[in-house]
Amino acid sequence: MASPSPSEYLRLKLVEKVRGVFNDVEGGEQPVPVSAEALFDKDTPIRLVHADIVAMMVGGIRSLLLQMLHPHALQGVLDHSNFRSDMHGRLRRTARFIAVTTFGHRDDAQGAIERVNRIHAQVGGTLPDGSPYSATDPRTLAWVHVAEATSFLAAYLRHVRPDMPAAAQDEYYRQFAVIARALGADPVPLDRREAEALFRELRGDLATSPQAREIADLVLRQRPEGAPPAVQAMLGAEAVALLPPFARSMLGLERPGIGAFPARAATWGMGKTLRWAFRQG
């Protein structure tokens, strides 16, 4: 068999490198296979958005920063997570859940949802003020979902498809709602207008704290195995730039200044390269 061309060799090595960041290759974990019997049809909005690696990484960081502003979500991480010692592992598991529920066979997707629900049923405790919290609380799950959905879509619009039609954006929310409802979130937005309204409503549940700022700092300083430090810094800067001003203020983060322009350009370039490598157009 003929050796691959230099460009094809480079493409394959890049794909291998990226898959190593998102999958526990040493443990024998393989990328999630794309199924023709997934929850969502090929080329629909949720599959297009969730297929873009860079947009999902930027959106994922933004989402985590927003989630840590919810006292219940934050306390669950502090009490029941090994986030500090195994942040990369936690982020990997989150990315895999999204991949399975978006692209995997519908039976595998349902199995992944059921596993998360079983884990959530064991997560609960007491807030510093003495009030109880539970990871199964529908309103807390609603904030986690709306933080994720708005973040993934915002990053996709910024870095991949600024001209994504409004109808396709609304369809993205309707599709993602299928997963959110299965996880017990309520209310769940079904279009952009509902997402914006719910985001504003749930903002009243948020609070700043030293712990939230500590976790935010950890998220922005994390260095996934196999990822160059400069790449993570670039993605973090983009995520912070996409945060609403109130969230940056609550987390003690500064709005990126003129230095954000090179980061945005580099992020755009990296996204274009990865879309070439994974043959996404």
Side-chain angles (χ1 to χ4, degrees):
M1 188 173 68
S3 299
S5 67
S7 64
E8 179 64 5
Y9 176 80
L10 176 62
R11 188 188 72 80
L12 293 173
K13 293 300 288 184
L14 185 55
V15 167
E16 179 185 349
K17 187 77 169 176
V18 171
R19 285 177 172 167
V21 172
F22 288 100
N23 299 278
D24 183 9
V25 177
E26 292 183 1
E29 189 174 67
Q30 296 296 316
V32 173
V34 177
S35 174
E37 297 181 69
L39 291 176
F40 310 103
D41 292 337
K42 183 180 178 181
D43 295 332
T44 52
I46 194 169
R47 289 182 57 155
L48 295 174
V49 172
H50 291 182
D52 193 84
I53 296 169
V54 170
M56 290 299 286
M57 291 174 73
V58 171
I61 296 170
R62 179 187 188 268
S63 172
L64 279 172
L65 296 174
L66 287 171
Q67 289 173 37
M68 291 307 95
L69 287 172
H70 194 294
H72 293 207
L74 172 63
Q75 200 63 44
V77 167
L78 295 175
D79 291 347
H80 297 273
S81 173
N82 60 348
F83 199 86
R84 289 183 179 88
S85 61
D86 187 28
M87 184 180 299
H88 187 205
R90 179 183 171 88
L91 295 176
R92 247 182 192 168
R93 290 188 290 275
T94 300
R96 192 167 188 86
F97 174 80
I98 292 170
V100 170
T101 53
T102 306
F103 304 103
H105 191 282
R106 60 180 61 247
D107 292 343
D108 294 332
Q110 187 58 45
I113 290 168
E114 290 172 358
R115 283 193 296 275
V116 169
N117 284 335
R118 287 196 297 270
I119 293 170
H120 283 173
Q122 305 300 316
V123 175
T126 305
L127 298 174
D129 65 5
S131 59
Y133 75 88
S134 170
T136 60
D137 177 66
R139 189 174 172 94
T140 303
L141 290 167
W143 172 251
V144 170
H145 170 68
V146 79
E148 288 184 345
T150 58
S151 295
F152 295 150
L153 187 56
Y156 185 76
L157 291 172
R158 181 176 174 96
H159 292 290
V160 185
R161 197 179 175 192
D163 61 346
M164 185 180 189
Q169 295 180 48
D170 288 343
E171 179 62 17
Y172 172 74
Y173 282 109
R174 281 191 289 273
Q175 290 182 302
F176 208 174
V178 172
I179 300 171
R181 284 175 170 155
L183 289 171
D186 185 46
V188 175
L190 297 178
D191 56 31
R192 289 171 303 145
R193 181 186 60 78
E194 290 185 5
E196 291 165 3
L198 183 61
F199 195 96
R200 287 194 301 270
E201 176 189 340
L202 296 180
R203 179 178 167 182
D205 294 354
L206 309 184
T208 187
S209 67
Q211 292 79 10
R213 293 186 175 201
E214 177 200 358
I215 297 297
D217 185 59
L218 286 173
V219 169
L220 293 172
R221 287 192 295 106
Q222 56 120 354
R223 298 289 180 264
E225 300 166 19
V231 169
Q232 186 60 27
M234 173 184 68
L235 297 173
E238 273 299 286
V240 172
L242 278 175
L243 281 172
F246 81 83
R248 282 199 298 267
S249 177
M250 293 175 76
L251 291 169
L253 300 172
E254 294 185 4
R255 177 182 179 135
I258 194 169
F261 291 106
R264 182 175 183 182
T267 304
W268 180 86
M270 184 171 72
K272 187 173 182 180
T273 299
L274 290 180
R275 284 189 289 278
W276 164 76
F278 283 86
R279 291 176 170 167
Q280 293 172 332

